[in-house]
Structures are given as C-alpha cells and as structure tokens.
Amino acid sequence: MCEEKLKKKIGLFLGCTPEWGGQFQYNLSLLDAFNKLPEDEYEISIAYTEIIWESYLSNLTCDKFYIPFAKLSYLFGILITLFNLPLKIWYKISPLIDPIANKVKKQNCDLWVFSSYSFTSYQMPIKSIGVVHDLMHRYERGFPEISSFRIYYWREKVFKKMCKYCQYIFVDSNLGKNQLMESYDIDNHKIFVMPFVIPDYIYQHNNIQNKKGSLTLPGKFIFYPAQFWKHKNHENLIYAFANVIKKYPNIHLVFTGSKKNYYNKIVTLIHELNIKENVHILGYVSNEEIVDIYRKAHVFIFPSFCGPTNIPPLEALALGCPVSVSDVYAMREQLSEAAIYFNPNSVSEIENSILSLLNDNKLRDSLRIKGYEIVKHYTQEVFNNRFRNTIKTIVSG
C-alpha cells in the first residue's frame, strides 16, 4: 500500500490527427515514452480528443478516456486567450462549467503533458507541460501560411500564455530553447529539449519490398517530401534542378506531399522550364511507399526555409540516403556532419549541392556512414530515456 502512495500519476493529453504531420509523430513518440515509464514509479492516464487514437491505445492497460470536442471548452479557450481574461478566477470555476477541465481535473494527476501546442495546456487548473515545436511565425515573416496577421496574432497570444502559465515547456532543440527565451519572458529552467525522433514506420517497413505495381519510380532520382507550401521552397529547387538536367539529362526529381498554396505555381513553373518529363509529383503516399522511395533515391534534398529542426532528413539518414539540406536554424545542430548544407535562397548553391552528390561517390558513402551514426541519437529508445529522466527531474523537484 505504501508503494502505491509513492507513485506519481501523470497524464498525457493527445489532441491531434495524422494530418498534423510532424506534430502527430511527436504525439506518438510521447505516447511510447509514457508507455515505457516504470510501472512501480508512475501511474498513467491518457486523454484523447480524436477517435483515431483508439487504435493506438487499444493494447495499453493504463487509464484512458475519450473527450469529445466540446464547443463550450473551445469558446472559453478562445475568449481567455484573445481577451486576457484572469486565469486565477477561471481555474476555480472551470471544473464546474468546462467539460474538458472537469474530466482532466478529476484524474488528480501530479502532472499533465500536452503533446501538441494548444490553449488547452494552460487553461486548466493543473500542473502542465506544453510543447512549442517552432516559432517560425516570428522568424520567417514572409510566408503567409505561417505568419499572416491572423496566424501571427493568435500564435503570439497562445505562446505567451503557455510560457507564463505552463509549469514547463518542451522544445525540439537548443536553438529552439534559445529562441523561446529570446521571444518571451520565460525562465531557462522551465524549458526542456526533447528532439524529434525517427518514426517507427521507417524501421518497420525498411525490409519490406514495395508491392509490385503500387508505385512507379524513375531509375535515378532526387527526392523531396514536403507539402506544397511556399516556405518549403519548391521554387528554388525547381530552378536548380533545371540546371542540373543540362549536365545529367537522365536525372529525375520526385515530390511527395499534398497540394497547398504554392502547388499551382510550381506546376506552372515546371511546364515553363520544359522539365515536366523529369519531374514526378506523387501526392500523398503511404508509409510503406515513402520508405521505398527513400531507399531508392540517389539524393535526398530538403530546401525548406523553416526549422528549427525537421524529421524527413533524419528519415533519409536512417535509410542510407545521402542528404543535402538548407543551412538554417538548428539543422547543423540536428545533423552535424552527416549532410551537406546550402543557402536556400541561392539557386546556384542548391544546384551545386546536388551536383556534388551526383559527382562524388566517396562523398555519398561518407555521408551515409556519418548518417548511420547520427541517427543513433534520434531513436525512440533515446527519446524514452531522456523523457524518463526529464519527468523524474520535474516530479521530484
């Protein structure tokens, strides 16, 4: 009985869907980390707001409960955030009128981890950890999809309150930590670095051959997986690739990712440069298919303007594909010497990075070997150990 009393009870609030991309993968990483916590030290409670999570939770024996979307909770969250309503008063009354706060409060957890950035992380009368994956709305103001007035205003409101009212914040990198301190009034000791990890499906499908006829790929190609947002920088890559074709007419470029605000612009540019026969836009592909693409790609390129860090370059390294990435934010912190770097604003630097990997097999082999070493630091096991140590520090503090 005494041992049970010594246990700490912590909760995980899952609040996103697979469409969230990297954030969803981060949710999965945290879920696995929770599941691996020592049972003799922790009691786990998991709340989820989307039915899709039931398939991921079906084999877990911990306490778990579904919280359906509540318009009242959503309205309260917006009003509190936009109009700076006094949270001390709200904390006292929220369990009485807010269905989400009521259910979460009843769990009597010592700590809650909110795995996606949301106003929910600070609007409840509980001890909480929030997550801030990036502050690109501040640092990349030229892209409307991440920094329009509406998006900038809302993210500023949410992040400021998270930094003030959440007891702790998780970030993806040391640079992310510095940017958070630079941008908001938050103490250094409240921030913990919990990097992105390589998704499990990369390893699960690595030894599975692509089903015959499910995906047709060119013989030798460069691969870029990204939704067609302007900040993903498909445009400069297309210009650089058009120059590469002049020297390597048989090289191809493969894109995956859903259509976004810059898709039509990119398609038009491909036709204007008369390179449509060498460019392949596959749209959405399954996890199994994307692993197959990584394995067969001659070069992986990632010209995005944003960070601090990104998951796809890690996936490429794990599957032995030579990597070339934008020299922005914390990409060197993440990949070290396992990649070559270029200025994403420079078409010539992007072109030269591709050519260097096409021309130099020794460089490709060297990067591949270094990549295998780097990814050892970004496994789920490493993440779980870091998470366990972090939680131990927090709950014993």
Side-chain angles (χ1 to χ4, degrees):
M1 194 71 180
C2 293
E3 290 184 2
E4 287 294 322
K5 289 184 179 180
L6 292 174
K7 284 187 179 182
K8 294 293 185 179
K9 186 174 183 181
I10 63 174
L12 174 63
F13 194 97
L14 301 168
C16 74
T17 62
E19 290 74 24
W20 289 42
Q23 286 197 51
F24 183 75
Q25 293 300 329
Y26 199 79
N27 276 242
L28 292 176
S29 296
L30 283 171
L31 177 59
D32 191 83
F34 262 76
N35 192 39
K36 297 299 194 307
L37 287 173
E39 293 183 2
D40 60 335
E41 297 179 31
Y42 299 97
E43 181 181 349
I44 305 302
S45 184
I46 299 177
Y48 57 100
T49 61
E50 302 288 344
I51 293 296
I52 191 173
W53 281 107
E54 292 185 352
S55 62
Y56 295 92
L57 300 172
S58 59
N59 295 326
L60 303 186
T61 58
C62 61
D63 182 25
K64 50 201 174 188
F65 59 98
Y66 172 57
I67 304 179
F69 175 77
K71 291 183 178 179
L72 193 60
S73 298
Y74 187 70
L75 178 61
F76 286 144
I78 291 176
L79 293 176
I80 289 169
T81 301
L82 289 179
F83 299 105
N84 298 317
L85 300 181
L87 278 171
K88 288 185 179 180
I89 297 175
W90 173 246
Y91 287 157
K92 293 180 180 180
I93 65 174
S94 61
L96 304 175
I97 60 176
D98 181 349
I100 294 182
N102 178 269
K103 288 188 177 182
V104 170
K105 180 68 174 177
K106 281 184 177 179
Q107 298 302 304
N108 293 317
C109 289
D110 298 290
L111 178 70
W112 274 92
V113 178
F114 289 81
S115 54
S116 304
Y117 105 86
S118 169
F119 54 66
T120 311
S121 61
Y122 58 77
Q123 73 174 34
M124 298 183 189
I126 54 175
K127 190 175 182 180
S128 66
I129 297 177
V131 173
V132 176
H133 292 298
D134 70 79
L135 298 177
M136 291 300 104
H137 70 289
R138 273 180 162 254
Y139 290 90
E140 292 293 340
R141 299 298 303 274
F143 303 106
E145 65 268 21
I146 59 175
S147 195
S148 66
F149 174 79
R150 178 181 63 83
I151 293 174
Y152 182 90
Y153 181 79
W154 176 251
R155 285 170 69 91
E156 281 296 285
K157 285 283 189 179
V158 171
F159 288 147
K160 283 179 181 178
K161 282 184 166 53
M162 285 179 66
C163 289
K164 183 175 181 180
Y165 294 106
C166 290
Q167 276 67 37
Y168 303 96
I169 299 290
F170 284 168
V171 295
D172 72 320
S173 59
N174 290 314
L175 178 67
K177 180 177 181 177
N178 291 335
Q179 287 182 337
L180 199 66
M181 291 188 294
E182 177 182 82
S183 301
Y184 308 109
D185 185 20
I186 181 170
D187 187 86
N188 168 65
H189 298 96
K190 289 183 62 173
I191 310 172
F192 290 89
V193 177
M194 294 293 298
F196 289 114
V197 301
I198 301 161
D200 283 342
Y201 68 78
I202 292 295
Y203 297 106
Q204 290 170 356
H205 295 298
N206 189 23
N207 295 317
I208 300 175
Q209 293 300 314
N210 180 45
K211 296 178 182 178
K212 187 176 180 180
S214 64
L215 196 64
T216 301
L217 296 170
K220 192 173 183 180
F221 64 92
I222 301 157
F223 180 38
Y224 182 33
Q227 298 182 65
F228 284 81
W229 294 114
K230 184 178 181 181
H231 71 273
K232 293 299 185 179
N233 199 24
H234 292 79
E235 184 174 7
N236 282 347
L237 174 56
I238 289 293
Y239 281 119
F241 180 70
N243 293 332
V244 170
I245 291 178
K246 297 174 184 177
K247 299 177 181 177
Y248 287 87
N250 294 323
I251 195 72
H252 294 257
L253 178 60
V254 171
F255 290 129
T256 59
S258 57
K259 302 176 183 179
K260 295 299 181 180
N261 68 341
Y262 229 54
Y263 176 79
N264 291 334
K265 167 73 173 179
I266 295 304
V267 171
T268 299
L269 182 61
I270 291 170
H271 283 79
E272 289 177 350
L273 295 175
N274 196 29
I275 58 173
K276 62 181 181 179
E277 298 301 322
N278 293 72
V279 180
H280 310 262
I281 301 178
L282 305 183
Y284 171 80
V285 296
S286 68
N287 289 343
E288 180 181 345
E289 289 171 327
I290 201 167
V291 168
D292 197 53
I293 301 173
Y294 276 124
R295 288 187 307 189
K296 294 177 179 177
H298 203 69
V299 173
F300 171 87
I301 193 159
F302 201 80
S304 175
F305 286 109
C306 294
T309 61
N310 291 281
I311 295 177
L314 292 176
E315 296 176 330
L317 293 182
L319 294 172
C321 186
V323 169
S324 179
V325 299
S326 297
D327 192 3
V328 295
Y329 299 107
M331 294 309 299
R332 286 184 183 265
E333 177 185 333
Q334 183 184 37
L335 305 180
S336 186
E337 296 181 352
I340 57 175
Y341 299 88
F342 55 80
N343 178 353
N345 286 297
S346 172
V347 171
S348 63
E349 284 197 27
I350 298 174
E351 175 190 350
N352 289 334
S353 76
I354 295 173
L355 291 174
S356 65
L357 289 174
L358 294 178
N359 292 330
D360 192 339
N361 287 330
K362 288 185 178 180
L363 174 61
R364 290 164 47 76
D365 291 339
S366 173
L367 291 176
R368 186 178 292 112
I369 293 170
K370 292 175 181 177
Y372 287 142
E373 290 300 315
I374 285 294
V375 298
K376 292 178 181 178
H377 301 288
Y378 297 99
T379 64
Q380 186 65 50
E381 182 180 2
V382 170
F383 184 92
N384 291 350
N385 290 336
R386 182 190 287 257
F387 179 77
R388 182 171 61 250
N389 293 334
T390 299
I391 292 299
K392 185 176 182 180
T393 298
I394 290 173
V395 299
S396 62

